Amino acid sequence: MANLKAIRNRIQSVKNTRKITEAMRLVAAARVRRAQEQVLNTRPFADRLAQVLHGLQARLRFDETDLPLLKTQPVQTVGLLVVAGDRGLCGAYNSNVIRRAENRAAELKAEGIDYKFILVGRKGLQYFSRREQPILSNYTNLEQVPTAAEASQISDELLSLFLSNGVDRVELIYTKFVSLVSSRPVVQTLLPLTPQGLEVSDDEMFRLTSRDGRFDVERKKVELEDRPLPRDMIFEQDPVQILNALLPLYLNNQLLRALQESAASELAARMTAMNNASDNASDLIKSLTLSYNKARQSAITQQILEVAGGAAALS
């Protein structure tokens, strides 16, 4: 009977765990939808800003303009902006982006280039702090669905570091959202901004949908319209000044999109991990229930044999 009680307690414990993991899966799914809505809401501004910058690029020769954000210089120190998460229970999301950052740091070190980390997320801070890596600053406890204010705060510090020659280049390491079960860490150069980085190109956006009762992701190619500025357009200000004002906005937008991709990747990884945990809990409950029924049947059989043996002894 003691064994039966232990199995019953174990079954109840696993059922409680399954309730928690299922609730976390649903919360992550709802937040992925919010991340999707945020991407869709910020897209019109991003598209229009890219069109204006492309028009200015066609009108000006960027290599002849003396703008700090476009100026390339010998690289001695690289700032690595690593976007990880504040929480766990999201599969290999944090370990993958941290491993990519370590590999990039090793590549720079092999080339004789110094590096410094700017960390987003508590998991990255804990990991690199324990290994005594050079950390310039960190941002933790951000909103799970990033905001423009948070992106602006980070981009302001990056601009300050770059313009004050604290770093000669800034590279962004974040997780690109591919699907609910797939994401990949990527490295992107944020500063200096190059003319190639301002060109209009095909882009993608994701939509979280339901299909056959399960969550699914649809990815759609978005082609930005190439609208050159009219040749007879007259600028009230020097186009270089306009460009100098728009480039920080473009950098802020690029960073916001990267934070959104990372947030969607983390939430999708957590949703997948919690779904797998719920499935494993269900399988374990079935196995424990089978063991419980076998033990109960064995106990009943033993009791029947004892009763029959006692009756035979009396007779």
Side-chain angles (χ1 to χ4, degrees):
M1 293 300 292
N3 187 34
L4 289 176
K5 183 178 181 181
I7 296 177
R8 283 200 304 268
N9 292 339
R10 181 77 187 281
I11 291 175
Q12 186 60 43
S13 175
V14 175
K15 285 183 178 179
N16 293 337
T17 302
R18 185 177 61 179
K19 291 179 182 179
I20 295 173
T21 57
E22 185 63 18
M24 293 181 66
R25 183 186 72 85
L26 295 175
V27 170
R31 288 175 174 168
V32 168
R33 289 186 182 275
R34 286 179 57 196
Q36 164 195 311
E37 293 174 358
Q38 191 180 47
V39 170
L40 298 180
N41 292 335
T42 58
R43 175 167 295 279
F45 173 77
D47 292 349
R48 191 55 185 163
L49 180 60
Q51 292 169 8
V52 172
L53 287 174
H54 184 257
L56 288 173
Q57 178 185 358
R59 180 71 63 90
L60 301 172
R61 291 186 177 181
F62 279 10
D63 53 355
E64 295 180 358
T65 58
D66 186 18
L67 293 177
L69 297 185
L70 298 177
K71 185 178 181 180
T72 57
Q73 53 189 347
V75 178
Q76 297 180 350
T77 305
V78 175
L80 297 177
L81 175 62
V82 183
V83 181
D86 285 316
R87 302 168 182 83
L89 298 178
C90 51
Y93 167 79
N94 289 311
S95 59
N96 286 341
V97 71
I98 289 174
R99 187 183 305 113
R100 185 68 183 91
E102 281 189 314
N103 293 340
R104 182 54 182 159
E107 293 172 0
L108 294 173
K109 187 175 181 180
E111 296 176 5
I113 300 175
D114 292 334
Y115 61 88
K116 296 180 181 179
F117 286 110
I118 302 101
L119 303 174
V120 176
R122 187 165 53 88
K123 291 297 182 180
L125 177 62
Q126 291 175 346
Y127 182 88
F128 289 110
S129 296
R130 292 168 183 166
R131 287 154 182 80
E132 298 182 353
Q133 292 286 350
I135 300 174
L136 281 177
S137 60
N138 64 87
Y139 300 88
T140 59
N141 297 322
L142 301 182
E143 295 290 338
Q144 284 206 324
V145 179
T147 63
E150 293 171 341
S152 178
Q153 181 183 2
I154 299 173
S155 64
D156 287 345
E157 179 175 355
L158 296 179
L159 285 173
S160 177
L161 286 171
F162 183 75
L163 296 177
S164 64
N165 295 325
V167 295
D168 303 311
R169 188 171 73 212
V170 177
E171 294 183 356
L172 171 63
I173 302 175
Y174 71 101
T175 306
K176 186 174 182 60
F177 182 88
V178 179
S179 69
L180 289 179
V181 295
S182 176
S183 58
R184 55 188 178 88
V186 296
V187 180
Q188 175 186 345
T189 299
L190 278 182
L191 293 169
L193 294 171
T194 61
Q196 290 77 20
L198 302 177
E199 293 175 354
V200 178
S201 59
D202 291 345
D203 200 356
E204 285 186 336
M205 65 179 177
F206 70 91
R207 292 179 180 273
L208 181 63
T209 62
S210 299
R211 183 176 301 170
D212 297 330
R214 300 181 66 87
F215 291 114
D216 193 14
V217 171
E218 294 180 354
R219 297 193 71 88
K220 179 181 178 182
K221 279 284 187 180
V222 179
E223 297 184 0
L224 302 180
E225 298 181 9
D226 185 5
R227 298 179 182 176
L229 298 179
R231 294 184 177 276
D232 58 348
M233 177 177 288
I234 299 175
F235 295 98
E236 294 184 359
Q237 290 179 306
D238 186 351
V240 175
Q241 294 181 353
I242 298 176
L243 185 62
N244 193 32
L246 289 180
L247 286 177
L249 286 177
Y250 182 78
L251 174 64
N252 187 28
N253 184 259
Q254 288 287 95
L255 183 56
L256 178 60
R257 289 294 303 277
L259 292 176
Q260 290 171 344
E261 291 271 348
S262 295
S265 300
E266 179 185 358
L267 293 170
R270 181 171 291 109
M271 185 172 66
T272 301
M274 293 301 100
N275 183 66
N276 293 337
S278 298
D279 292 342
N280 293 337
S282 297
D283 294 339
L284 183 56
I285 290 173
K286 291 180 181 178
S287 177
L288 289 173
T289 301
L290 181 60
S291 299
Y292 176 80
N293 291 336
K294 288 181 178 179
R296 186 167 178 269
Q297 183 179 10
S298 177
I300 292 174
T301 302
Q302 181 65 28
Q303 291 173 359
I304 293 175
L305 289 176
E306 291 176 355
V307 171
L314 292 176
S315 63

